[in-house]
């Protein structure tokens, strides 16, 4: 996993509440058996006026000019500013894969859905919760100034803006550590193999049926 | 202070509590399907890892299978969509490579993963259950701790048998009193989501309790727990009781003989203590719940059949007004219009929420001896598994549906998420028994109204949403 320490980047808006993972990456792209290549279809139903298909050349498709990410001023954005309950719905990890593949490293919102938040951390994408008021303030600043950028410092746990006070944020300490060091969860857990084996021995006494192979 | 059901399930699977607040939780069962597993298997392969415990896993294809009898009968190689075919083939190949038990596409036990699991006894009370699918909350109806995970976590469970978790908070939603005639588990679920909002349960495991929940069948409890995630809660739970034990007994993979006695004793303790404390409590009166219909693009945008689409003046904040305006525009509805004036083009009866035998029966009871309205372009009935299909056919339900002008299909996720050919065309409006009414969920530009099976059947007959209680057939 790509480590995340300090990141500075252009901010782009996703200015609506309850953005679900179907909207982030529509179902037809979930047929891929790969982890990469979802970026061109991030927010596909909003970016284009027609229905996209997997492995399609997008260059000839009709663009939705009302969708902010299509505006030149947000070209190259790497921080997404969003409203409450971002990432609700399906557990598809294709949602953070698409955001990362597009070039986002960080999403800032007042709240996130649980499974989406967890999926972000596994992919080097930092979900930052700020208050509703702080997020509204950032939206106002972003709309008011083209090229509006922020710096996200995971070490110091704060969002830095030009000429104003830093905005501190909370982050799960385990997840922070994994992100800062680019650590793989599985490697960490396998260090506890002996504890897992020991647990299994007593669990097997309590619920032996759990350990029987489901022969099909 | 006593423990909640969630506390007990958590404690019984705690391998290691760490100082940073995270914990290693042992996973008893992982369900796998074709969409969220390929990258997890690929991850194992790249790292040279083997599954920690083969007996933890069972796989079944469901999300993008065809529901057409002829296409299914011709086998995987005949599947028209080549991209879906590769994904389904990849599941078969991965299961063969890693020796994961898989119920294949042509097996009568094949079905939607959340229908197959309980039906086979592959998911049982007291278990921790995960799957790369958010509707894994369904299995909480058995008194199990069950929730959806992402693909990295699927790989983590495959490789380690465990998940790194932080304990959720406890919420109890109590539904007091008895439900009215014609009101179902689906209506309870939608009414609760209307009350809590789509993020009201975020960070919580929700235990459903109260007389109305005790009165539900296990299938009804699955419908309810299935939709816990639509209120933001990853896990829904119902305490174990006689209904649970009667359901589980004699299921193919359920414990038998002496093990059954051991299991019964263990499982009978799976309920919250009298003095357990919940971080949040919500109480609803069952008598106040009427048949529900969603009108918008989030499950919280719901009202009862006698209700109306909201008007902008009802909304308190700018964000809410924007959401409402956007939803009404997408849904092609006028503010203030009566729900009964909404006319669907398509009917979908199926999904992990409502495709079990009692759902089939409830829908058939409404359509029996009637015809689908001429304005309905298509009415699909998709049983949740081959076994549900066979049971329904034994009861003659397939004939009732087909005589009414409905299509009786092969099992799969189908039009709930439209990964296969079953999808809405742009602008089409669907009365659907599924779980999500998000933009584009059932097809690009498609419009979804979530309802119970009986309500979907009633709308099929009349051509518009109608109070199922005026239709008869619910005894």
């Amino acid at each position: 996993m790509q480590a995340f320490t300090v990141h500075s980047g252009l901010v782009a808006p996703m200015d609506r509440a309850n953005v679900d993972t179907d909207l982030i990456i529509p179902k037809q792209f979930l047929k891929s058996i790969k982890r990469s290549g979802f970026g061109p279809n991030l927010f596909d139903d909003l970016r284009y006026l027609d229905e996209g298909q997997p492995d399609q050349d997008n260059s000839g498709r009709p663009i939705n000019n009302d969708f902010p990410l299509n505006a030149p001023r947000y070209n190259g954005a790497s921080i997404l500013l969003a409203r409450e309950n971002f990432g609700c719905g399906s557990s598809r990890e294709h949602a953070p894969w698409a955001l990362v593949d597009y070039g986002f490293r960080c999403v800032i919102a007042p709240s996130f859905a649980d499974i989406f938040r967890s999926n972000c951390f596994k992919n080097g994408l930092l979900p930052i919760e700020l208050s509703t008021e702080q997020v509204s303030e950032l939206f106002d600043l972003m709309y008011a100034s083209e090229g509006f950028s922020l710096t996200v410092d995971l070490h110091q746990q704060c969002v830095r803006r030009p000429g104003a006070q830093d905005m501190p944020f909370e982050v799960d300490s385990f997840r922070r550590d994994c992100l800062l060091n680019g650590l793989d969860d599985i490697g960490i857990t396998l260090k506890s193999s002996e504890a897992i084996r020991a647990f299994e021995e007593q669990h097997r006494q309590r619920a032996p049926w759990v350990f029987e192979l489901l022969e099909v | 202070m006593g423990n909640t059901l969630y506390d007990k399930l958590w404690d019984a699977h705690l391998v290691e509590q760490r100082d940073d607040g995270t914990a290693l939780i042992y996973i008893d069962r992982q369900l796998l399907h074709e969409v969220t597993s390929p990258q997890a298997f690929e991850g194992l392969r790249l790292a040279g890892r083997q599954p920690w415990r083969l007996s933890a896993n069972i796989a079944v294809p469901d999300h993008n299978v065809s529901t057409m009898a002829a296409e299914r009968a011709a086998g995987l190689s005949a599947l028209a969509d080549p991209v879906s075919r590769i994904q389904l083939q990849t599941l078969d190949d991965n299961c063969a490579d890693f020796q994961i038990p898989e119920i294949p596409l042509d097996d009568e036990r094949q079905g939607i993963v959340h229908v197959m699991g309980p039906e086979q006894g592959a998911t049982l009370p007291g278990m921790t259950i995960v799957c790369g699918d958010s509707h894994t909350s369904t299995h909480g109806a058995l008194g199990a701790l069950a929730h959806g995970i992402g693909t990295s976590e699927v790989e983590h469970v495959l490789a380690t048998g465990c998940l790194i978790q932080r304990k959720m908070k406890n919420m109890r939603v109590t539904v007091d009193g008895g439900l009215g005639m014609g009101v179902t588990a689906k209506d309870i679920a939608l009414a609760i989501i209307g009350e809590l909002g789509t993020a009201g349960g975020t960070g919580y495991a929700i235990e459903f309790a109260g007389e109305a929940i005790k009165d539900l069948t296990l299938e009804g409890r699955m419908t309810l727990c299935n939709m816990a995630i639509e209120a933001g809660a990853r896990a829904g739970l119902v305490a174990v009781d006689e209904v649970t034990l009667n359901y589980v007994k004699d299921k193919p993979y359920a414990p038998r003989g002496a093990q059954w006695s051991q299991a019964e004793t263990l499982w009978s303790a799976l309920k919250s203590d009298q003095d357990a404390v919940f971080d949040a409590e919500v109480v609803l009166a069952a008598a106040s719940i009427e048949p529900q219909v969603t009108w918008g693009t989030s499950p919280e945008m719901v009202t009862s059949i006698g209700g109306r689409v909201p008007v902008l003046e009802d909304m308190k904040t700018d964000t809410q007004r924007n959401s409402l305006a956007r939803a009404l525009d997408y849904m092609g509805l006028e503010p203030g219009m009566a729900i009964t004036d909404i006319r669907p083009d398509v009917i979908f009866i199926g999904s992990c929420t409502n495709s079990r035998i009692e759902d089939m029966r409830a829908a058939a009871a409404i359509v029996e001896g009637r015809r689908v309205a001429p304005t309905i372009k298509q009415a699909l009935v998709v049983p949740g598994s081959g076994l549900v299909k066979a049971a329904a056919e034994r009861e003659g339900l397939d004939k009732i549906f087909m005589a009414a002008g409905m299509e009786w299909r092969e099992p799969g996720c189908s039009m709930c998420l439209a990964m296969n050919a079953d999808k809405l065309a742009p602008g089409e409006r669907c009365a659907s028994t599924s779980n999500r009414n998000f933009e584009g969920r059932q097809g690009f530009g498609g419009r979804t109204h979530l309802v119970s099976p009986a309500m979907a059947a009633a709308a099929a007959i009349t051509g518009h949403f109608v109070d199922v209680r005026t239709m008869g057939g619910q005894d």
Side-chain angles (χ1 to χ4, degrees), chain A residues 15-18 20 22-23 27 30-35 38 45-46 48-51 54-55 83-85 88-94 97 112-115 117-119 122-123 172-175 184-190 192-193 195-197 199-200 203 205-216, chain B residues 12-16 18 20 22 24 26 28-29 35 38-39 49 52-55 58 81 83-84 87 90 101-103 109 122 124 132-134 148-153 155-156 159-160 162 164 166 198-199 202-203 232 234 253 255 259 262-263 266-267 300 319 326 417-419 436 438-441 443-444:
Chain A
D15 197 353
R16 58 201 280 183
N18 300 320
D20 57 75
D22 276 81
L23 205 58
K27 83 282 280 168
L30 273 51
K31 295 179 188 182
S32 168
I33 57 171
K34 297 183 293 188
R35 263 175 194 268
F38 297 100
D45 286 359
L46 300 176
Y48 300 98
L49 296 170
D50 65 347
E51 182 182 14
D55 302 324
R83 300 288 183 183
E84 57 262 37
N85 199 29
C88 61
S90 152
S91 63
R92 59 188 69 167
E93 196 161 318
H94 312 67
W97 292 339
F112 294 90
D114 283 339
I115 303 177
R117 186 210 317 266
S118 164
N119 285 339
K122 317 272 175 175
N123 291 283
D172 182 302
S173 57
F174 172 73
R175 290 291 154 215
D184 160 24
D185 275 10
I186 295 176
I188 297 171
T189 298
L190 286 176
S192 298
S193 291
I196 301 171
R197 295 274 179 225
F199 174 87
E200 277 181 328
H203 196 42
Q205 301 302 313
R206 194 165 49 212
W209 51 87
V210 166
F211 295 85
E212 283 175 20
L213 187 70
L214 302 180
E215 284 179 57
V216 171
Chain B
H13 293 85
L14 182 63
V15 175
E16 234 175 43
R18 294 169 177 168
D20 60 11
T22 61
L24 206 55
Y26 193 76
D28 293 325
R29 184 72 73 235
V35 177
Q39 298 87 351
R49 290 174 174 138
W52 177 269
R53 176 169 70 87
L54 287 175
S55 59
I58 189 163
D81 178 349
V83 192
S84 293
Q87 197 169 50
T90 303
E102 182 195 9
I103 295 178
R109 296 166 297 173
L124 293 167
D133 188 284
S134 60
I149 55 177
T151 296
S152 293
E153 289 179 318
E155 183 184 342
H156 190 279
T160 70
C162 295
I164 300 169
R166 198 171 266 278
T198 185
T202 302
R234 280 195 300 162
Y253 295 125
Q259 273 198 6
Q262 185 184 351
L266 187 74
W267 296 342
E300 69 182 14
T319 306
R326 201 191 313 269
L417 85 166
M419 276 193 77
R436 289 189 175 132
F438 299 157
E439 288 181 24
R441 170 80 179 180
F444 181 72

Side-chain angles (χ1 to χ4, degrees), chain B residues 231-242:
Chain B
R234 280 195 300 162
L237 294 158
V238 177
V240 171
D241 61 8
E242 283 301 309

Side-chain angles (χ1 to χ4, degrees), chain A residues 104-123:
Chain A
F104 286 111
R105 295 297 324 273
C106 174
V107 185
I108 300 176
S111 58
F112 294 90
D114 283 339
I115 303 177
F116 175 80
R117 186 210 317 266
S118 164
N119 285 339
C120 284
F121 281 115
K122 317 272 175 175
N123 291 283

Side-chain angles (χ1 to χ4, degrees), chain A residues 20-32 34 36-48 50-59 61 67 69-70 92 94-95 97-104, chain B residues 444:
Chain A
D20 57 75
T21 54
D22 276 81
L23 205 58
I24 297 173
I25 183 81
K27 83 282 280 168
Q28 63 269 35
F29 306 106
L30 273 51
K31 295 179 188 182
S32 168
K34 297 183 293 188
S36 57
F38 297 100
N41 300 104
L42 174 71
F43 299 123
D44 199 82
D45 286 359
L46 300 176
R47 273 163 85 182
Y48 300 98
D50 65 347
E51 182 182 14
Q53 295 304 330
D55 302 324
Q56 181 184 11
D57 174 11
N58 291 329
S59 60
R61 296 178 61 195
F67 185 57
L69 285 187
N70 287 332
R92 59 188 69 167
H94 312 67
W97 292 339
L99 286 160
V100 169
D101 199 57
Y102 183 90
F104 286 111
Chain B
F444 181 72

Side-chain angles (χ1 to χ4, degrees), chain B residues 391-406:
Chain B
E393 288 173 356
R394 279 197 298 277
E395 296 177 22
L397 306 185
D398 56 327
K399 295 196 174 60
I400 293 173
F401 291 126
M402 288 188 283
M406 296 175 144

